[in-house]
Amino acid sequence: MRFLPKANPLYEKVSAAKVVIPDVLEKLAKGGFTGYLSHSAPGFETCCVFAKGRMLCAVSSAEGREKTGFEAIVQLFGAVSGLGGEINVYRMTPDLAMCAHALAVGTRLFQGDDVRQVDIKGVLTRLKGQDFNGVVLFYTPERHAMMFYKDGLPIGFYYDGATSIESLPDESRKVAALPGARIDVCSTRPLEELLQYDLLQMVNLEKLWETAQSRQTAVRQKEQPAVKRDASGVNERQLLELVEDLKEVASAYLSRAGREIVEKRIIGGGGAALLLDGGKLADFLAVVEADARAADDHARIDEMIDLMKSEIAGRLAV
């Protein structure tokens, strides 16, 4: 999938099963949102870039093949319906949204070229003379850094792990100097031209969503899998839903760290089935509490654990 900056998050790691994705897209549009929404699931990624409430583009990737526009939204709805996954939303300025458009679907002036074989100074000089709009991206398997351009001039810089758009190119130079570094130069049209296009005005989101839901229902009915239940009558899907609920509770008190703690301790305890074993459940809650206090001793951890116990008791009657 395309590299995109992860600064200024609006939402991160939201379970796709907890939202109605067409409603999310419509709310972003009506709210005049500028930035991008991304969705990821096993083997699938997508992103939708917005500026001033208009969806400038959508691009999806599945099994190494990319789709854009209408087809990308169809694939997004199908993936959310069938795979679930996570949704992230990041805010941007309109000029950076233009650059995100370049990264997602822009023209590649360079793609994967070895930095050592490219006259970088000469390239940047030409971009300035051409009133370039887009992104210069340097990357290795472990690192990446971006230089954002408008009208041939740099307007910001970003590198992996940064929490904001930088004003200096120091990290970009460091990444460009790494052994084996590659360069992409991604170009797009001026923002004023991009704003004349709105993908959401060209598709019927409600109809596409209904179709995706119907297709997934048909697939499930055709497969008719045998649902495993334990003595309490709880099936595997219900356990996984409960785990997601516990992650949501933890994230409400500890943000991303809370989700990661629950996920780590569920895996470490042998999976969601531990919630059905009284002894393992008690151990699980104890280590989650200890991890939570280590992460943020000032958070309302007792309240969080009590809420988890209530959620488990209500779901499993234990």
Side-chain angles (χ1 to χ4, degrees):
M1 196 61 190
R2 310 298 189 190
F3 293 102
L4 288 170
K6 296 181 178 180
N8 202 8
L10 182 60
Y11 303 106
E12 285 188 302
K13 293 186 176 296
V14 176
S15 171
K18 300 289 185 180
V19 300
V20 179
I21 189 67
D23 289 351
V24 173
L25 296 176
E26 288 182 345
K27 287 178 181 178
L28 292 175
K30 291 178 180 178
F33 174 71
T34 298
Y36 72 92
L37 174 147
S38 68
H39 168 260
S40 61
F44 178 87
E45 290 182 299
T46 190
C47 75
C48 303
V49 179
F50 288 79
K52 300 181 179 181
R54 295 175 172 86
M55 186 186 288
L56 304 184
C57 67
V59 57
S60 64
S61 175
E63 298 178 351
R65 300 181 62 183
E66 288 192 349
K67 294 184 181 295
T68 60
F70 171 82
E71 292 184 325
I73 292 180
V74 171
Q75 197 168 59
L76 166 64
F77 285 6
V80 170
S81 299
L83 300 174
E86 290 184 340
I87 291 172
N88 300 289
V89 181
Y90 297 94
R91 290 171 292 209
M92 293 176 160
T93 65
D95 288 339
L96 287 178
M98 174 187 69
C99 294
H101 179 277
L103 285 165
V105 297
T107 302
R108 261 50 186 173
L109 306 180
F110 287 83
Q111 185 167 10
D113 296 69
D114 190 326
V115 172
R116 295 172 300 178
Q117 305 300 318
V118 177
D119 177 9
I120 300 298
K121 184 176 180 180
V123 169
L124 298 182
T125 300
R126 289 199 303 274
L127 296 181
K128 181 178 181 180
Q130 296 168 359
D131 292 334
F132 171 73
N133 293 301
V135 181
V136 176
L137 169 67
F138 300 107
Y139 58 95
T140 70
E142 295 80 24
R143 296 290 316 277
H144 67 270
M146 310 172 195
M147 305 168 65
F148 304 112
Y149 278 78
K150 177 185 179 183
D151 298 332
L153 298 175
I155 59 173
F157 307 89
Y158 179 83
Y159 62 93
D160 51 287
T163 57
S164 62
I165 303 301
E166 305 288 322
S167 59
L168 296 174
D170 297 357
E171 287 297 323
S172 297
R173 291 170 179 162
K174 290 179 183 178
V175 175
L178 292 173
R182 301 280 173 176
I183 180 175
D184 286 5
V185 178
C186 314
S187 175
T188 189
R189 302 187 302 279
L191 178 64
E192 294 74 17
E193 293 184 26
L194 296 179
L195 287 173
Q196 297 176 18
Y197 177 86
D198 185 2
L199 182 57
L200 290 184
Q201 296 300 316
M202 304 170 65
V203 298
N204 186 328
L205 294 181
E206 183 177 355
K207 183 63 176 178
L208 292 180
W209 180 245
E210 289 176 356
T211 301
Q213 294 279 280
S214 298
R215 185 180 295 116
Q216 188 58 37
T217 299
V219 169
R220 289 169 180 160
Q221 290 176 343
K222 183 177 180 180
E223 292 177 349
Q224 287 293 318
V227 179
K228 296 181 180 179
R229 296 179 179 270
D230 76 312
S232 69
V234 178
N235 63 47
E236 293 175 346
R237 177 167 51 81
Q238 290 171 318
L239 280 176
L240 293 177
E241 289 174 353
L242 174 55
V243 171
E244 284 300 317
D245 288 342
L246 295 179
K247 290 180 184 178
E248 292 294 331
V249 170
S251 69
Y253 290 85
L254 298 167
S255 300
R256 183 188 301 181
R259 292 184 62 87
E260 293 173 349
I261 287 170
V262 172
E263 185 172 50
K264 174 184 176 181
R265 292 308 181 180
I266 287 289
I267 294 173
L274 70 84
L275 300 174
L276 299 173
D277 184 307
K280 291 182 178 179
L281 174 58
D283 291 340
F284 165 76
L285 291 172
V287 293
V288 167
E289 180 177 357
D291 288 349
R293 294 193 187 282
D296 185 359
D297 194 43
H298 298 291
R300 301 192 304 274
I301 305 303
D302 290 338
E303 183 179 312
M304 182 188 81
I305 296 298
D306 287 342
L307 190 55
M308 285 185 172
K309 289 178 180 178
S310 297
E311 189 73 17
I312 294 168
R315 290 292 196 96
L316 305 182
V318 296

